[in-house]
Amino acid sequence: MAQRLVVDPITRIEGHLRVEAQMDGNTIADAYSSGTMVRGIEIILRDRDPRDAWAFAQRICGVCTLVHGLASVRAVEDALDWKIPKNAQLIRNLMIAAQYVHDHVMHFYHLHALDWVDVVSALEADPKATSELAQSLSNYPRSSPGHFSDVKKKLKGFVESGQLGIFSGGYWGHAGYKLPPEANLMAVSHYLDALAWQRDVSKLHTIFGGKNPHPNFVCGGVPSPIDPNSEGAINMAALSQVSSIITQMEDFVNQAYLPDTLAIASFYKDWGAIGEGVGNFLCYGDFPTGDTNDISSFLVPRGVILDRDLSTIHNVDLHDEGQIEEYVDHAWYKYRNGKGTGLHPYDGETELKYTGPKPPYTQLNVDQEYSWLKSPRWKGKPMEVGPLSRMLMLYAKGHEQAKELVDSTLTTLDVPVEALFSTLGRTAARTLETKIYLDMMRGWYNDLVANIAAGDLETHNDALWNPASWPRVAKGAGYMEAPRGALGHWIVIKNRKIDNYQAIVPTTWNAGPRDSDGVSGPYEAALKGHELANPDQPLEILRTIHSFDPCIACAVHMVGEDGDEKLKIKVR
């Protein structure tokens, strides 16, 4: 019988993920992805006021700090045809883009980089040579020999004490690590710098949303009053601080994140042929410059790419009940119409039915149900969502900066265009899209300032605030291109209350189990064929799974009947 390799939990992610790999020697012949907690937010939202839905839905995750709130607000606005002011659109775009920049930098350095960077190897680095390397890549100011010497001393103290702290639990010394010690020391230094940097740049959300995590939102606009002469509103001092934060973002992304990605990738070009998923890519689109639902105004286009074919973009309709469906054939749920049934979110059901083994267990029965994640499909096909999907969509649509960044990266790394569809391509796409959205932030900021200077201070439209003005029945789809991919919230409103609410999150698209036809989702497909240098240290599995940036907390939660949390996961 073939060996089953179990990795549980996958660490350096948000939430709790189990991967079981069916081995053929040291090669993964097949893989199974299991989310091992269950989400009940949809049940909690029934019969509530739709205007309050965002505050509950936003608590789906503590890492994706605004995306669920905004998707929820957009669902209500779509259902009621509720328009928002131009200033509100600009503020939302700034907040979304800031989430991307913050999230992607944190993911690269603190969750994913350690799959490529051997922290302990950095102790062998020459600080002077590290400085020369860093200065050859960019003009990042913290690149002196003295600075790298101090970082090396700090790291040496961790190692000698036997307490690696934030660097504990790694597969240090694994044969898969290829960076020279100096590149490792530079990356560790930037890892530490990013910890302080992220604390400062997250303040943009507090300026416009009052707090972070979970900034405030409101249906019909944003809860950020603008008054240049008031201390209790968005004034010129607050806008000046926003400008400074954008500058901080620009400096770190351009001087550290971008050059670090290219430098590290140059040692792992073989990963440009490893980790392809299902070959289908889905985007809901985002960053509208006109009406929220004016698809033609989106910076990131909406559409589907099938079988790697960038010449044809297929249209996506979030309301079409024949396009997006969820299946539960291998998930611990039941549908009234039984297995093999696909439900559009407007008709979605959240009825739990655990049939798995009683913990602790050795392995799952993957011929039956094995995950708390459902299996979303677009016209019956599995879809990858996330940075790679967005960059491919921008590239296919002829976005000038996207084409320049992608072509330049392929040339610099000397890899073929097929490398885009890989673990390496997925990681590079995340960095490249960060550059695009960051560059757009300055323009949105300037537009907002210009509107205010012209006397336009409106941030909220209260025309539909009174539920008496609503139709008896309304349906709406709220979209977001969250950092991890296409996020959708669907709401059915009856008699001014929530009758049904369903959320399909990016990690459900990517990490879901097999569907009614036994077809794998992106995680499972991407792991097939991986060669493991050491099955006891499955670094290769971590590299590909982390390239998707999992957020299992978005996909699954567990609470008891009394509302108490039943399962707490320590994320490392």
Side-chain angles (χ1 to χ4, degrees), residues 106-405:
M106 295 297 289
H107 172 261
F108 179 77
Y109 287 103
H110 304 133
L111 303 180
H112 194 25
L114 301 185
D115 298 329
W116 316 97
V117 174
D118 187 337
V119 173
V120 176
S121 163
L123 294 176
E124 303 170 14
D126 175 4
K128 184 174 183 297
T130 305
S131 174
E132 291 170 353
L133 169 64
Q135 292 181 39
S136 73
L137 297 174
S138 77
N139 58 348
Y140 184 63
R142 293 167 64 84
S143 297
S144 69
H147 172 72
F148 289 120
S149 180
D150 289 343
V151 172
K152 183 177 177 179
K153 288 177 183 176
K154 183 182 296 185
L155 181 60
K156 187 171 184 286
F158 285 148
V159 173
E160 289 182 347
S161 69
Q163 300 292 324
L164 274 172
I166 54 179
F167 301 125
S168 63
Y171 298 143
W172 315 128
H174 190 284
Y177 285 117
K178 298 181 180 179
L179 293 183
E182 287 71 25
N184 285 318
L185 180 58
M186 179 184 70
V188 170
S189 174
H190 294 170
Y191 175 114
L192 298 173
D193 289 348
L195 288 172
W197 172 89
Q198 63 87 24
R199 177 191 60 211
D200 293 334
V201 301
S202 64
K203 293 176 182 176
L204 187 145
H205 286 172
T206 68
I207 293 171
F208 288 126
K211 58 191 178 73
N212 186 66
H214 305 312
N216 293 304
F217 286 104
V218 65
C219 294
V222 292
S224 315
I226 296 176
D227 186 344
N229 301 311
S230 172
E231 291 295 325
I234 303 298
N235 54 30
M236 296 315 294
L239 290 170
S240 177
Q241 188 176 4
V242 170
S243 180
S244 296
I245 291 171
I246 294 173
T247 298
Q248 280 183 272
M249 291 179 173
E250 291 169 336
D251 289 345
F252 193 80
V253 168
N254 292 329
Q255 296 173 3
Y257 182 29
L258 274 167
D260 282 357
T261 299
L262 289 174
I264 292 173
S266 68
F267 288 90
Y268 294 100
K269 292 191 284 188
D270 55 321
W271 278 83
I274 301 171
E276 179 176 357
V278 294
N280 303 322
F281 303 91
L282 167 69
C283 284
Y284 292 158
D286 215 327
F287 298 115
T289 54
D291 181 79
T292 301
N293 289 323
D294 178 7
I295 298 173
S296 66
S297 77
F298 289 5
L299 167 62
V300 178
R302 177 175 293 177
V304 158
I305 294 170
L306 295 177
D307 300 322
R308 290 182 168 192
D309 181 6
L310 303 187
S311 68
T312 304
I313 305 299
H314 302 266
N315 293 328
V316 173
D317 185 345
L318 303 184
H319 304 281
D320 184 344
E321 299 189 12
Q323 291 201 17
I324 295 172
E325 295 177 310
E326 284 190 294
Y327 293 82
V328 296
D329 297 79
H330 287 279
W332 292 309
Y333 299 89
K334 67 176 181 178
Y335 283 167
R336 285 191 294 270
N337 291 336
K339 301 292 185 180
T341 300
L343 294 180
H344 184 275
Y346 283 147
D347 301 314
E349 300 172 10
T350 306
E351 188 168 351
L352 316 179
K353 185 181 180 181
Y354 183 73
T355 59
K358 182 180 179 180
Y361 50 85
T362 303
Q363 64 184 47
L364 295 161
N365 182 354
V366 294
D367 293 327
Q368 298 182 10
E369 298 87 4
Y370 61 89
S371 180
W372 280 115
L373 279 70
K374 298 179 182 179
S375 303
R377 296 294 184 263
W378 180 83
K379 292 189 175 181
K381 297 180 181 297
M383 294 286 144
E384 177 174 333
V385 301
L388 178 56
S389 297
R390 288 188 291 263
M391 284 301 294
L392 290 174
M393 198 67 63
L394 285 164
Y395 190 87
K397 285 282 191 177
H399 186 276
E400 186 174 340
Q401 188 180 16
K403 286 184 68 66
E404 180 182 344
L405 286 168

Side-chain angles (χ1 to χ4, degrees), residues 450-510:
N451 284 351
I452 295 171
D456 179 5
L457 307 182
E458 187 178 11
T459 60
H460 185 257
N461 171 17
D462 65 358
L464 293 172
W465 188 256
N466 186 347
S469 64
W470 301 355
R472 190 182 71 83
V473 178
K475 295 181 178 181
Y479 65 89
M480 267 289 304
E481 276 299 324
R484 289 161 179 83
L487 167 66
H489 285 221
W490 285 262
I491 190 169
V492 179
I493 303 170
K494 289 185 179 180
N495 299 320
R496 303 166 190 169
K497 298 292 185 181
I498 298 173
D499 183 69
N500 195 11
Y501 198 100
Q502 295 291 320
I504 303 179
V505 308
T507 296
T508 310
W509 280 105
N510 289 332

